Amino acid sequence: MTSLGPYASFIVTSYTLVAAVVVLLIIWIAIDYRLQKERLRELEASGVTRRSGRQATDIR
């Protein structure tokens, strides 16, 4: 660690914190994706359809 100079602890801490934030964001996105997919399944099961699922002839 001495090759990083007198700021080694700052550099290592900064990179560690950035890595932790990126990992937390990835986890958050994965959880939110699953929740959104579940919500979409619930809506479709209740009869709500997506506009993207309709044909052009169905829109009046």
Side-chain angles (χ1 to χ4, degrees), residues 10-51:
F10 174 77
I11 293 169
V12 171
T13 303
S14 297
Y15 274 87
T16 303
L17 288 174
V18 167
V21 167
V22 169
V23 167
L24 287 173
L25 286 172
I26 290 170
I27 291 169
W28 180 22
I29 290 169
I31 291 170
D32 187 56
Y33 175 77
R34 289 182 183 152
L35 291 173
Q36 294 300 325
K37 292 290 278 188
E38 178 62 30
R39 179 70 177 134
L40 184 59
R41 276 194 292 273
E42 290 172 4
L43 287 171
E44 288 178 342
S46 70
V48 177
T49 58
R50 290 187 257 179
R51 286 185 283 169

Side-chain angles (χ1 to χ4, degrees), residues 54-60:
R54 293 187 290 190
Q55 299 295 325
T57 56
D58 296 341
I59 301 171
R60 297 178 200 266

